[in-house]
Amino acid sequence: MSSLHNITLGSETSPTVIVGLGSNLDTRHGSPEQTIELAIQRLAQFSVSDLIASSIWQTAPVDCPPESADFSNAVCIFTSLAELSPEGLLVELKKIEVEFGRTQNSRANASRELDLDLICFGNCTRQTETLVLPHPRAFQREFVLAPLAEVAPNLTIPLQPVTVLELLELLQNSKNGVSLS
C-alpha cells in the first residue's frame, strides 16, 4: 500500500491508468477479497512498471437489489503498455471479468464475481457507445474515491476541477447534508 501523493496521468505514450475493482460474490478463486487480490495480479500484465493498489475496502452496495451482499473494492494504478489503447484495455478488462466467472445480468447493479471499471486512461477523454472516459460515475462513488484517495489523494482527474481527496470530501459532506458554497 504505497501513497502516490504526486502522481501524474503520464504522457500519451505512457499513460497512467486507474482501474476500479469490485466483487461481492465468491468465485472459484475464493472470497471477494481473494478475487480482488488475484485480479490486481492479472492487471500487472498491462503495466510497464510496478502497479500500485489500494487496500481492499468493504463497502455497502450502492443502487443494488436489496439482497445484495457488501462489496470488496479497491483501485489499481499503473503505467500502461504503449501498445494499449483505452478501447483495447477495456476489452482486456472484460476478458478478465469473464475469466473470474462474470456473466451479463439483466438486473441493474446485480451482485457480481468481479467488476473492473476503467476509471481513467491518462488524460484521455472519450464518449463513445462503449467507453466514456473518465468514468462518468466514478466521482460520485465513495467506493471509488476512498481507495483512490488512499493512494493518490492529490491527483486531479481530467474534467474534474479539484483533487481526488477534495472530491471525496465534497461527496462525504453532501451525504451529511453539508453544503459547500
Side-chain angles (χ1 to χ4, degrees):
M1 166 174 55
S2 296
S3 183
L4 300 176
H5 293 278
N6 295 312
I7 189 171
T8 64
L9 291 175
S11 67
E12 242 178 77
T13 55
S14 298
T16 299
V17 173
I18 302 171
V19 175
L21 302 94
S23 175
N24 73 336
L25 294 175
D26 289 343
T27 69
R28 65 184 172 87
H29 302 288
S31 69
E33 295 83 7
Q34 292 167 315
T35 296
I36 296 290
E37 289 171 0
L38 289 170
I40 289 169
Q41 291 173 18
R42 290 279 281 115
L43 291 174
Q45 70 182 310
F46 306 114
S47 179
V48 296
S49 60
D50 290 341
L51 50 81
I52 302 296
S54 71
S55 302
I56 297 176
W57 293 63
Q58 301 305 311
T59 61
V62 175
D63 299 330
C64 295
E67 71 280 1
S68 298
D70 285 352
F71 276 83
S72 295
N73 291 101
V75 296
C76 189
I77 302 174
F78 58 91
T79 303
S80 175
L81 298 170
E83 62 269 16
L84 271 179
S85 67
E87 292 79 7
L89 180 58
L90 182 63
V91 167
E92 296 300 325
L93 296 178
K94 296 303 171 196
K95 287 179 187 176
I96 293 171
E97 288 178 345
V98 170
E99 287 174 28
F100 279 82
R102 175 126 186 228
T103 58
Q104 292 304 318
N105 189 319
S106 59
R107 284 180 83 180
N109 300 320
S111 292
R112 56 202 65 145
E113 292 83 357
L114 181 62
D115 187 26
L116 299 174
D117 288 327
L118 183 54
I119 305 299
C120 197
F121 192 96
N123 287 309
C124 288
T125 57
R126 294 272 199 287
Q127 186 143 9
T128 69
E129 230 178 81
T130 57
L131 181 61
V132 177
L133 285 175
H135 191 286
R137 291 172 308 285
F139 310 106
Q140 302 162 359
R141 305 289 199 218
E142 193 168 354
F143 60 83
V144 173
L145 288 175
L148 187 52
E150 174 191 328
V151 293
N154 297 322
L155 178 65
T156 301
I157 301 297
L159 307 179
Q160 297 299 318
V162 296
T163 67
V164 168
L165 183 59
E166 290 168 316
L167 286 169
L168 177 61
E169 290 169 350
L170 288 168
L171 180 63
Q172 290 170 335
N173 286 334
S174 71
K175 286 172 47 178
N176 294 327
V178 176
S179 173
L180 301 177
S181 317

Short mmCIF file of all heavy atoms in Angstrom, two decimals, residues 1-5 7 16-21 40-41 43-44 47 49-55 74-79 147-153:
data_model
loop_
_atom_site.label_atom_id
_atom_site.label_comp_id
_atom_site.label_asym_id
_atom_site.label_seq_id
_atom_site.Cartn_x
_atom_site.Cartn_y
_atom_site.Cartn_z
N MET A 1 0.85 -1.17 0.00
CA MET A 1 0.00 0.00 0.00
C MET A 1 0.89 1.23 0.00
O MET A 1 1.32 1.70 1.02
CB MET A 1 -0.90 -0.06 1.22
CG MET A 1 -1.61 1.21 1.55
SD MET A 1 -2.80 1.02 2.89
CE MET A 1 -1.80 0.36 4.20
N SER A 2 1.19 1.73 -1.18
CA SER A 2 2.02 2.92 -1.32
C SER A 2 1.14 4.13 -1.57
O SER A 2 0.04 4.01 -2.06
CB SER A 2 2.96 2.76 -2.51
OG SER A 2 3.84 1.70 -2.29
N SER A 3 1.65 5.27 -1.24
CA SER A 3 0.92 6.50 -1.50
C SER A 3 1.62 7.24 -2.64
O SER A 3 2.83 7.39 -2.64
CB SER A 3 0.90 7.36 -0.24
OG SER A 3 0.13 8.51 -0.49
N LEU A 4 0.83 7.68 -3.58
CA LEU A 4 1.36 8.38 -4.74
C LEU A 4 0.96 9.85 -4.69
O LEU A 4 0.34 10.35 -5.60
CB LEU A 4 0.79 7.76 -6.02
CG LEU A 4 1.09 6.31 -6.26
CD1 LEU A 4 0.38 5.82 -7.50
CD2 LEU A 4 2.56 6.09 -6.40
N HIS A 5 1.30 10.52 -3.64
CA HIS A 5 0.81 11.87 -3.44
C HIS A 5 1.03 12.80 -4.62
O HIS A 5 0.29 13.73 -4.82
CB HIS A 5 1.43 12.47 -2.17
CG HIS A 5 0.96 11.79 -0.94
ND1 HIS A 5 -0.24 12.09 -0.35
CD2 HIS A 5 1.51 10.79 -0.20
CE1 HIS A 5 -0.41 11.32 0.70
NE2 HIS A 5 0.62 10.52 0.82
N ILE A 7 1.32 11.81 -8.01
CA ILE A 7 1.13 11.09 -9.26
C ILE A 7 0.61 12.03 -10.35
O ILE A 7 -0.12 12.96 -10.08
CB ILE A 7 0.17 9.90 -9.07
CG1 ILE A 7 0.17 9.04 -10.34
CG2 ILE A 7 -1.22 10.35 -8.75
CD1 ILE A 7 -0.58 7.74 -10.17
N THR A 16 -0.94 6.87 -17.44
CA THR A 16 -1.26 6.28 -16.15
C THR A 16 -2.72 5.86 -16.19
O THR A 16 -3.59 6.64 -16.53
CB THR A 16 -1.01 7.29 -15.01
OG1 THR A 16 0.37 7.64 -15.04
CG2 THR A 16 -1.37 6.70 -13.66
N VAL A 17 -2.96 4.62 -15.81
CA VAL A 17 -4.29 4.02 -15.86
C VAL A 17 -4.80 3.83 -14.44
O VAL A 17 -4.05 3.43 -13.55
CB VAL A 17 -4.25 2.66 -16.60
CG1 VAL A 17 -5.57 1.94 -16.52
CG2 VAL A 17 -3.81 2.85 -18.04
N ILE A 18 -6.08 4.09 -14.26
CA ILE A 18 -6.74 3.81 -12.98
C ILE A 18 -7.87 2.85 -13.27
O ILE A 18 -8.74 3.11 -14.11
CB ILE A 18 -7.28 5.09 -12.33
CG1 ILE A 18 -6.16 6.09 -12.10
CG2 ILE A 18 -8.00 4.74 -11.01
CD1 ILE A 18 -6.63 7.46 -11.66
N VAL A 19 -7.86 1.71 -12.56
CA VAL A 19 -8.91 0.70 -12.70
C VAL A 19 -9.55 0.51 -11.33
O VAL A 19 -8.85 0.33 -10.33
CB VAL A 19 -8.34 -0.65 -13.20
CG1 VAL A 19 -9.41 -1.73 -13.23
CG2 VAL A 19 -7.73 -0.47 -14.60
N GLY A 20 -10.87 0.55 -11.30
CA GLY A 20 -11.62 0.25 -10.09
C GLY A 20 -12.00 -1.22 -10.10
O GLY A 20 -12.38 -1.77 -11.14
N LEU A 21 -11.88 -1.87 -8.96
CA LEU A 21 -12.21 -3.30 -8.83
C LEU A 21 -13.29 -3.48 -7.78
O LEU A 21 -13.26 -2.83 -6.73
CB LEU A 21 -10.98 -4.11 -8.41
CG LEU A 21 -9.75 -4.03 -9.30
CD1 LEU A 21 -8.79 -2.95 -8.82
CD2 LEU A 21 -9.04 -5.36 -9.32
N ILE A 40 -5.87 -7.99 -9.27
CA ILE A 40 -4.79 -7.00 -9.27
C ILE A 40 -3.52 -7.61 -9.86
O ILE A 40 -2.84 -6.98 -10.67
CB ILE A 40 -4.55 -6.45 -7.84
CG1 ILE A 40 -5.73 -5.55 -7.42
CG2 ILE A 40 -3.23 -5.69 -7.76
CD1 ILE A 40 -5.74 -5.17 -5.96
N GLN A 41 -3.23 -8.85 -9.50
CA GLN A 41 -2.06 -9.54 -10.07
C GLN A 41 -2.20 -9.66 -11.59
O GLN A 41 -1.23 -9.51 -12.33
CB GLN A 41 -1.88 -10.91 -9.44
CG GLN A 41 -1.46 -10.85 -7.99
CD GLN A 41 -1.45 -12.23 -7.33
OE1 GLN A 41 -1.43 -13.25 -7.99
NE2 GLN A 41 -1.45 -12.23 -6.00
N LEU A 43 -3.80 -7.65 -13.58
CA LEU A 43 -3.65 -6.34 -14.21
C LEU A 43 -2.19 -5.97 -14.44
O LEU A 43 -1.88 -5.18 -15.32
CB LEU A 43 -4.34 -5.26 -13.36
CG LEU A 43 -5.86 -5.33 -13.31
CD1 LEU A 43 -6.41 -4.30 -12.33
CD2 LEU A 43 -6.47 -5.14 -14.69
N ALA A 44 -1.29 -6.58 -13.67
CA ALA A 44 0.14 -6.28 -13.82
C ALA A 44 0.65 -6.57 -15.23
O ALA A 44 1.61 -5.94 -15.68
CB ALA A 44 0.94 -7.07 -12.79
N SER A 47 1.03 -3.47 -17.43
CA SER A 47 1.81 -2.36 -16.89
C SER A 47 3.28 -2.48 -17.25
O SER A 47 3.83 -3.57 -17.26
CB SER A 47 1.66 -2.34 -15.36
OG SER A 47 2.42 -1.29 -14.82
N SER A 49 5.54 -0.98 -15.38
CA SER A 49 6.25 -0.88 -14.11
C SER A 49 5.37 -1.47 -13.01
O SER A 49 4.27 -1.95 -13.27
CB SER A 49 6.58 0.58 -13.81
OG SER A 49 5.39 1.33 -13.73
N ASP A 50 5.88 -1.42 -11.79
CA ASP A 50 5.08 -1.92 -10.68
C ASP A 50 3.78 -1.15 -10.59
O ASP A 50 3.75 0.07 -10.77
CB ASP A 50 5.84 -1.77 -9.36
CG ASP A 50 7.02 -2.71 -9.26
OD1 ASP A 50 7.06 -3.71 -10.01
OD2 ASP A 50 7.91 -2.45 -8.43
N LEU A 51 2.72 -1.88 -10.29
CA LEU A 51 1.45 -1.18 -10.11
C LEU A 51 1.23 -0.90 -8.64
O LEU A 51 1.82 -1.51 -7.77
CB LEU A 51 0.29 -1.94 -10.73
CG LEU A 51 0.09 -3.42 -10.44
CD1 LEU A 51 -0.61 -3.61 -9.12
CD2 LEU A 51 -0.75 -4.01 -11.54
N ILE A 52 0.38 0.07 -8.39
CA ILE A 52 0.05 0.47 -7.03
C ILE A 52 -1.41 0.11 -6.81
O ILE A 52 -2.27 0.44 -7.62
CB ILE A 52 0.23 1.98 -6.84
CG1 ILE A 52 1.66 2.41 -7.15
CG2 ILE A 52 -0.19 2.40 -5.44
CD1 ILE A 52 2.71 1.83 -6.25
N ALA A 53 -1.68 -0.58 -5.71
CA ALA A 53 -3.05 -0.95 -5.39
C ALA A 53 -3.39 -0.40 -4.01
O ALA A 53 -2.56 -0.39 -3.10
CB ALA A 53 -3.21 -2.47 -5.39
N SER A 54 -4.62 0.03 -3.89
CA SER A 54 -5.12 0.47 -2.59
C SER A 54 -5.36 -0.74 -1.71
O SER A 54 -5.26 -1.89 -2.15
CB SER A 54 -6.44 1.23 -2.77
OG SER A 54 -7.48 0.32 -3.14
N SER A 55 -5.69 -0.49 -0.47
CA SER A 55 -6.20 -1.54 0.40
C SER A 55 -7.54 -2.01 -0.17
O SER A 55 -8.14 -1.33 -1.01
CB SER A 55 -6.46 -0.98 1.81
OG SER A 55 -5.30 -0.45 2.37
N ALA A 74 -11.40 -1.91 -4.50
CA ALA A 74 -10.03 -1.39 -4.50
C ALA A 74 -9.84 -0.61 -5.79
O ALA A 74 -10.67 -0.66 -6.70
CB ALA A 74 -9.02 -2.54 -4.43
N VAL A 75 -8.74 0.11 -5.86
CA VAL A 75 -8.31 0.71 -7.12
C VAL A 75 -6.87 0.30 -7.37
O VAL A 75 -6.13 0.00 -6.43
CB VAL A 75 -8.43 2.25 -7.17
CG1 VAL A 75 -9.86 2.71 -7.05
CG2 VAL A 75 -7.55 2.91 -6.15
N CYS A 76 -6.53 0.29 -8.63
CA CYS A 76 -5.19 -0.08 -9.06
C CYS A 76 -4.71 1.01 -10.03
O CYS A 76 -5.48 1.44 -10.90
CB CYS A 76 -5.27 -1.44 -9.74
SG CYS A 76 -3.70 -2.15 -10.11
N ILE A 77 -3.49 1.44 -9.87
CA ILE A 77 -2.90 2.47 -10.73
C ILE A 77 -1.63 1.92 -11.34
O ILE A 77 -0.79 1.36 -10.63
CB ILE A 77 -2.59 3.75 -9.92
CG1 ILE A 77 -3.86 4.28 -9.26
CG2 ILE A 77 -1.95 4.81 -10.81
CD1 ILE A 77 -3.62 5.46 -8.33
N PHE A 78 -1.50 2.08 -12.66
CA PHE A 78 -0.30 1.60 -13.33
C PHE A 78 -0.05 2.37 -14.61
O PHE A 78 -0.94 3.04 -15.13
CB PHE A 78 -0.38 0.09 -13.60
CG PHE A 78 -1.56 -0.35 -14.44
CD1 PHE A 78 -1.45 -0.44 -15.81
CD2 PHE A 78 -2.77 -0.68 -13.83
CE1 PHE A 78 -2.53 -0.86 -16.58
CE2 PHE A 78 -3.85 -1.11 -14.60
CZ PHE A 78 -3.73 -1.19 -15.98
N THR A 79 1.17 2.24 -15.12
CA THR A 79 1.53 2.85 -16.40
C THR A 79 1.28 1.81 -17.49
O THR A 79 1.85 0.73 -17.47
CB THR A 79 3.00 3.29 -16.40
OG1 THR A 79 3.19 4.20 -15.31
CG2 THR A 79 3.37 3.97 -17.70
N PRO A 147 -10.73 4.54 -1.89
CA PRO A 147 -9.48 3.82 -2.18
C PRO A 147 -8.52 4.65 -3.05
O PRO A 147 -7.31 4.60 -2.85
CB PRO A 147 -9.94 2.57 -2.93
CG PRO A 147 -11.38 2.42 -2.63
CD PRO A 147 -11.91 3.79 -2.32
N LEU A 148 -9.07 5.44 -3.97
CA LEU A 148 -8.20 6.26 -4.82
C LEU A 148 -7.52 7.35 -3.99
O LEU A 148 -6.33 7.63 -4.17
CB LEU A 148 -9.01 6.87 -5.97
CG LEU A 148 -8.23 7.61 -7.04
CD1 LEU A 148 -7.09 6.79 -7.60
CD2 LEU A 148 -9.18 8.06 -8.15
N ALA A 149 -8.23 7.94 -3.03
CA ALA A 149 -7.64 8.96 -2.17
C ALA A 149 -6.56 8.36 -1.27
O ALA A 149 -5.62 9.05 -0.88
CB ALA A 149 -8.72 9.63 -1.33
N GLU A 150 -6.69 7.07 -0.98
CA GLU A 150 -5.66 6.40 -0.18
C GLU A 150 -4.31 6.40 -0.88
O GLU A 150 -3.27 6.60 -0.26
CB GLU A 150 -6.09 4.96 0.11
CG GLU A 150 -5.06 4.12 0.82
CD GLU A 150 -5.41 2.65 0.85
OE1 GLU A 150 -6.61 2.30 0.91
OE2 GLU A 150 -4.47 1.83 0.80
N VAL A 151 -4.31 6.17 -2.19
CA VAL A 151 -3.04 6.03 -2.93
C VAL A 151 -2.68 7.25 -3.77
O VAL A 151 -1.51 7.39 -4.15
CB VAL A 151 -3.05 4.76 -3.82
CG1 VAL A 151 -3.06 3.51 -2.96
CG2 VAL A 151 -4.20 4.76 -4.81
N ALA A 152 -3.64 8.11 -4.08
CA ALA A 152 -3.34 9.28 -4.92
C ALA A 152 -4.22 10.47 -4.53
O ALA A 152 -5.01 10.96 -5.34
CB ALA A 152 -3.54 8.92 -6.38
N PRO A 153 -4.11 10.95 -3.29
CA PRO A 153 -5.02 11.99 -2.83
C PRO A 153 -4.90 13.30 -3.60
O PRO A 153 -5.89 14.03 -3.73
CB PRO A 153 -4.63 12.18 -1.36
CG PRO A 153 -3.23 11.68 -1.27
CD PRO A 153 -3.13 10.57 -2.27
#
